[in-house]
Each structure stands twice: as structure tokens, then as C-alpha cells.
Amino acid sequence: MSEYTVRPARSADILGIHTLLEPLVERRILLGKDLAVLYGAVQEFVVAEIDGELIGCGALHVMWEDLGEVRTLIVRDDWLHHGVGRALIQGLEERAIALGLRRLFCLTFEVEFFTRHGFAPIGEQVVDPDVYSQLLRSPDEGVAEFLDLAHVKPNTLGNTRMLKNL
């Protein structure tokens, strides 16, 4: 197999990211995202590609001063177990460190994968009450999932909330 590269996403990658996302949305593994939302978040994404074709992606969303979330981590089925997920996580962690983040959150069914990469399941509240009250004001569903709010419970059933200290 040829070598793949991991790089920051460009706006021209959004349709490819959407194509990677759709099968997982259909299987109810990930929530769907409108193209407008993906274009608006292009700067959060890194992609893995080979010969100009996307084989994986992941996003880093800043939630608070020291806290980010790994979102939309996808590796195409035919590229699973080739180190693509590990390379994407490494790229996102490098971005997180460059931004001054000290912790990364994820909400996932892939507990074993994230555990291998230093994440651990978390309990109810992992931020102090002042930060919690500020985060409650966020309209972002990912923040609501991090806070484990009741209105997002149907979206998170079966998922594990995990955290990694960088």
C-alpha cells in the first residue's frame, strides 16, 4: 500500500469529509452534519489522504481555555488497522498543545481505541462549577454532551465520555 499523509483540511475537502461521515450517520454511529456546518468548521479538521483521496478525518473543537474535544474521527473501513486513526489523533493532539489545551474530551463507541491513546472514562463533572455555569450557555451540542445534559441523552446512548490529560 502507498503511504498516506495527514494535513490540515481545506474547504475543497469538505465534500469528501461529508462522504466519509454519511455511512456512519446511516448506521447511527455519528450524528449528521450539514454541509454549512462542516464548511464553517473546516479549520478544526485534519484529513488523511492518499493519492488525493480522503481516507480519514478528525476535528479538534476548543471548548474552554484548557479543554478541547476530538470530534468526527473517521477512518474509511478499508484503511482500518493501518495507523490512520493513530496519525489523526496525533495530529489533533499537536494542534491542541499548540493552542494551549491541557485536556481532550471525546464521546465515543470506540472505547478500546481511545483507551490505547491515553483517554479514560469520566464521571459527571470534570470542570469547576464556575466553568460549568459558563459552558451551560453554549449552544453547541458537543458541549451539552460533555456536560452530560439531559436533552442530549438520546444522542449519547451507548457512548462513553472520555478524557485525556495532555
Side-chain angles (χ1 to χ4, degrees):
M1 273 191 187
S2 300
E3 195 64 29
Y4 58 85
T5 59
V6 174
R7 61 167 174 79
R10 299 183 286 257
S11 59
D13 295 319
I14 294 301
L15 291 177
I17 291 170
H18 191 260
T19 298
L20 288 171
L21 180 60
E22 281 308 299
L24 298 174
V25 172
E26 289 172 10
R27 292 174 17 215
R28 301 178 58 88
I29 294 171
L30 292 176
L31 293 176
K33 291 183 172 61
D34 292 327
L35 283 172
V37 171
L38 290 172
Y39 278 111
V42 67
Q43 70 281 355
E44 297 182 356
F45 278 89
V46 295
V47 295
E49 72 173 348
I50 185 164
D51 300 326
E53 187 176 349
L54 294 189
I55 59 170
C57 66
L60 172 66
H61 180 78
V62 175
M63 298 173 74
W64 197 252
E65 177 184 12
D66 68 336
L67 178 65
E69 179 184 7
V70 172
R71 293 182 172 181
T72 320
L73 187 67
I74 303 168
V75 175
R76 210 171 67 189
D77 285 346
D78 58 331
W79 277 91
L80 291 172
H81 310 294
H82 289 91
V84 177
R86 179 182 63 244
L88 289 166
I89 285 285
Q90 288 172 341
L92 295 171
E93 287 181 5
E94 289 169 10
R95 285 179 150 204
I97 291 166
L99 289 168
L101 303 179
R102 295 190 323 263
R103 300 180 298 163
L104 287 179
F105 165 76
C106 71
L107 179 70
T108 186
F109 289 111
E110 300 296 332
V111 174
E112 187 177 312
F113 171 83
F114 281 96
T115 298
R116 283 195 315 268
H117 292 89
F119 287 77
I122 58 173
E124 287 295 310
Q125 195 164 341
V126 295
V127 294
D128 68 50
D130 290 338
V131 172
Y132 185 90
S133 68
Q134 291 293 321
L135 287 173
L136 278 174
R137 299 175 184 170
S138 174
D140 188 282
E141 288 297 303
V143 172
E145 291 166 347
F146 170 74
L147 297 175
D148 204 24
L149 300 179
H151 77 273
V152 294
K153 294 281 189 194
N155 298 341
T156 64
L157 291 176
N159 279 285
T160 300
R161 297 164 64 245
M162 301 184 81
L163 194 70
K164 177 178 183 172
N165 291 307
L166 298 174

